Amino acid sequence: SAKRTGGSGYAFFEPHMNAGVRQQIELQRDLRLAIERREFELHYQPKVNAGTSLITGVEALVRWRHPTRGMLSPVLFIPVAERFGLIGALGSWVIDEACRQVAAWSAQGMRMRVAINLSVHQLRQDDLAKRISAAIAQHKIDPVLLTFEITESVAMEDAESTLQMFEDLSRIGVKLSIDDFGTGYSSLSYLRRLRVGELKIDRSFVQDLEFSADARAIVEAVIGLAHVLGLKVVAEGVETAAQRDVLTRLHCDDLQGYLFAKPMTPEMMTKWVEGDDAPGTSWLAKLATTR
Ligand code: C2E
Ligand code: MG
Ligand code: MG
Ligand code: MG
């Protein structure tokens, strides 16, 4: 909503817009520095098997420890990084850091599976698979321990190039997952051609499960479809025992959400797995299904 000033001819923005634009510009300037200064951290959120409650892996979620604004959410800075061409550098840092952590957990005797989110620009980088194999080789980790999550809408956007990239990625031995599933319009035949092993049901369906017969029907159909195609199903954003119970009844494979754990630092994660925060289960028992 730009307006024109009386006689000067300069366009200006309304105060709230002005602040928003200024904030974006400040953010992108800070982001450039943050990449050099390594102000980012990865936090890890467990996924658990619905039937056994054993941990099956974790999702890496990036946070920015901003020097003056505190801990910032990726919802705030990933779009800015995308827009200003900084996602390549940030994404490479995320991949490298996740691989380093997988190696560190391996050294502690934990064969932890880690899922990494990819954004649209990363998926369109021709050398993405090469960069990922280089990180895997550098940290000497088993590629099957890595899963890459791509949202359904991104996967659908440019189907042919996505197919090519997924083929390249699956050739290096990593796993693939479709994130926020149910919000886009994937066709059955397309899903079959993509070499994905997993669908993650979007949080919006999980939220509605207790109250909406439609949401239940959709989730049931998605799980049935995924299983026919040989895919695993993960539900994201599980917050209540009622949601967990419905999802378990519908044969959802894995569950992820605040009901089990919030994203944690690697140190907190190790403790959680060792049972400090989940009494009665040792990490050996909890890791049983990841072997
Ligand atoms: P996502 O991949 O769908 O990740 C799930 C988001 O839901 C995370 O938010 C997680 O903290 C949050 N969440 C998990 N359980 C619950 C729950 O029970 N209730 C609610 N309300 N929320 C829950 P987060 O960490 O803020 O990340 C938001 C999005 O930012 C991610 O959505 C992902 O698209 C993107 N993102 C995060 N890390 C990265 C990254 O390293 N690279 C890229 N490209 N994108 C990332
Ligand atoms: Mg994700
Ligand atoms: Mg998701
Ligand atoms: Mg989501």
Side-chain angles (χ1 to χ4, degrees):
S1 53
K3 285 180 186 164
R4 295 216 154 253
T5 49
S8 74
Y10 286 115
F12 72 97
F13 296 96
E14 290 177 56
H16 73 279
M17 283 286 296
N18 206 343
V21 168
R22 199 172 52 231
Q23 211 179 52
Q24 285 239 325
I25 289 166
E26 272 170 23
L27 259 185
Q28 68 96 17
R29 186 202 59 203
D30 289 359
L31 259 178
R32 282 175 205 279
L33 288 173
I35 292 165
E36 290 165 25
R37 294 178 184 162
R38 309 196 163 257
E39 289 170 1
F40 298 101
E41 310 183 351
L42 291 184
H43 288 193
Y44 297 88
Q45 185 180 36
K47 299 184 226 182
V48 304
N49 180 277
T52 64
S53 296
L54 298 176
I55 185 169
T56 57
V58 294
E59 178 175 8
L61 295 157
V62 69
R63 272 93 182 89
W64 178 8
R65 201 177 278 281
H66 191 282
T68 56
R69 299 177 59 190
M71 198 71 99
L72 298 184
S73 155
V75 177
L76 202 71
F77 63 83
I78 293 277
V80 180
E82 288 254 349
R83 189 152 148 216
F84 293 95
L86 300 168
I87 196 70
L90 177 56
S92 293
W93 179 84
V94 168
I95 291 164
D96 185 70
E97 174 59 18
C99 290
R100 192 198 58 74
Q101 189 59 56
V102 168
W105 275 325
S106 285
Q108 295 172 37
M110 284 201 288
R111 198 176 145 75
M112 189 70 84
R113 293 183 183 280
V114 175
I116 300 168
N117 292 283
L118 291 178
S119 71
V120 58
H121 284 87
Q122 282 178 282
L123 200 66
R124 305 289 176 250
Q125 285 168 344
D126 290 334
D127 63 345
L128 177 66
K130 228 167 68 187
R131 284 187 196 207
I132 292 171
S133 351
I136 288 168
Q138 194 202 326
H139 294 282
K140 302 185 178 64
I141 62 172
D142 186 346
V144 301
L145 294 178
L146 296 186
T147 298
F148 287 90
E149 297 188 2
I150 299 99
T151 63
E152 186 185 22
S153 53
V154 166
M156 295 311 297
E157 214 170 78
D158 184 350
E160 279 313 310
S161 86
T162 302
L163 276 170
Q164 184 57 54
M165 186 52 84
F166 277 30
E167 209 175 300
D168 293 350
L169 289 174
S170 70
R171 204 170 290 134
I172 65 178
V174 301
K175 298 186 168 217
L176 298 163
S177 171
I178 301 288
D179 208 348
D180 302 346
F181 187 80
T183 53
Y185 303 91
S186 307
S187 76
L188 247 179
S189 61
Y190 181 60
L191 276 180
R192 281 191 77 100
R193 289 171 66 207
L194 286 176
R195 293 152 193 255
V196 296
E198 178 187 281
L199 298 183
K200 292 188 85 173
I201 298 178
D202 191 62
R203 189 165 75 220
S204 57
F205 296 103
V206 174
Q207 266 169 353
D208 292 347
L209 269 182
E210 291 166 64
F211 317 105
S212 154
D214 281 353
R216 270 197 304 279
I218 291 168
V219 168
E220 185 168 15
V222 166
I223 294 171
L225 161 70
H227 285 166
V228 165
L229 294 174
L231 308 182
K232 198 170 125 176
V233 188
V234 182
E236 65 175 26
V238 180
E239 293 182 351
T240 70
Q243 292 165 353
R244 176 198 60 203
D245 293 345
V246 174
L247 288 161
T248 306
R249 218 176 323 116
L250 297 179
H251 305 292
C252 189
D253 301 285
D254 286 3
L255 309 176
Q256 184 181 355
Y258 297 166
L259 178 66
F260 307 98
K262 290 200 166 172
M264 299 174 270
T265 63
E267 296 72 34
M268 288 161 69
M269 188 51 224
T270 308
K271 275 199 186 139
W272 190 85
V273 168
E274 282 170 349
D276 284 13
D277 296 324
T281 30
S282 73
W283 67 264
L284 265 178
K286 285 202 208 166
L287 276 171
T289 55
T290 71
R291 277 163 205 282

